[in-house]
Amino acid sequence: ELKVEQNPLFLSMQEGKNYTIYCNYSTTSDRLYWYRQDPGKSLESLFVLLSNGAVKQEGRLMASLDTKARLSTLHITAAVHDLSATYFCAVGLNNNDMRFGAGTRLTVKP
Amino acid sequence: DSGVTQTPKHLITATGQRVTLRCSPRSGDLSVYWYQQSLDQGLQFLIQYYNGEERAKGNILERFSAQQFPDLHSELNLSSLELGDSALYFCASSFGQGIYNEQFFGPGTRLTVL
């Protein structure tokens, strides 16, 4: 059965620091999504990665995909408080199913 | 605001009851997806419809069913409700039906089963 593992599950970091969230998955897929969810809110699409080696950047966030290693990373550069949220990766399957990781709850402290 | 609307925002009901959740996709989107988010199970894909037809099924219980109407809005019907069905139910939409379509999520319906 497909497993999507995110780590860490909880991340507390200081403003201005860098960190990486990892998303490992156990089956072949060339479609990986990253979402952000604020408490009590819906999911906001951050990145759609559709091929091996894909790299996308938006502000202080950069996502990459290595389909051979079955690994995606979400790198945070010079964190600010506004980035505090839960971040989910999701792996797309050929039957249009999408499996989510457990989420990484990020807290950025001043 | 993603452009996807869901009603109601909150729903409180009792075990054994039946409820209907409604979703209107973004203008122009033909696919609708339903997801369940709970503390126990995390985020789970339930079912997808494209232009009125079922396209994909995930971890959807037999007590649950969905449909998409000619105007493209969708309804998720949950019956014989159990305490464990309490969760946030999200609807998402995309233009196409295929695997490369970005999905846009609605605000969700919070279901509480007492």
Side-chain angles (χ1 to χ4, degrees), chain B residues 7-8 10-22 34 63-67 75-82 85-87 89 109-114:
Chain B
T7 57
H10 302 277
L11 198 47
I12 301 174
T13 188
T15 55
Q17 296 298 304
R18 173 190 169 95
V19 297
T20 297
L21 313 183
R22 183 188 169 103
W34 285 98
R63 299 184 286 110
F64 297 180
S65 64
Q67 53 184 329
E75 292 181 356
L76 179 68
N77 300 296
L78 315 176
S79 62
S80 302
L81 284 168
E82 302 175 359
D85 297 328
S86 295
Y89 290 85
T109 293
R110 183 172 293 280
L111 173 66
T112 303
V113 182
L114 300 175

Side-chain angles (χ1 to χ4, degrees), chain A residues 56 77 101 105:
Chain A
K56 290 194 174 179
T77 302
R105 186 176 296 179

Side-chain angles (χ1 to χ4, degrees), chain A residues 20-33:
Chain A
T20 301
I21 299 171
Y22 297 88
C23 176
N24 290 59
Y25 54 97
S26 63
T27 194
T28 302
S29 174
D30 59 357
R31 185 170 53 116
L32 196 293
Y33 302 85

Side-chain angles (χ1 to χ4, degrees), chain A residues 36-47:
Chain A
R36 168 183 172 143
Q37 186 178 34
D38 291 297
K41 303 290 186 182
S42 187
L43 279 79
E44 174 192 352
S45 177
L46 294 175
F47 299 108

Side-chain angles (χ1 to χ4, degrees), chain A residues 33-68:
Chain A
Y33 302 85
W34 284 96
Y35 290 91
R36 168 183 172 143
Q37 186 178 34
D38 291 297
K41 303 290 186 182
S42 187
L43 279 79
E44 174 192 352
S45 177
L46 294 175
F47 299 108
V48 179
L49 303 168
L50 299 178
S51 61
N52 185 40
V55 177
K56 290 194 174 179
Q57 182 162 8
E58 180 76 33
R60 300 174 188 276
L61 301 177
M62 183 172 71
S64 67
L65 177 61
D66 182 341
T67 58
K68 293 179 181 176

Side-chain angles (χ1 to χ4, degrees), chain B residues 4 6 23 25 31-35 90-94 103-106:
Chain B
V4 179
Q6 289 186 247
C23 167
S31 272
V32 169
Y33 310 76
W34 285 98
Y35 295 87
F90 289 109
C91 162
S93 75
S94 69
Q103 297 179 24
F104 296 88
F105 281 73

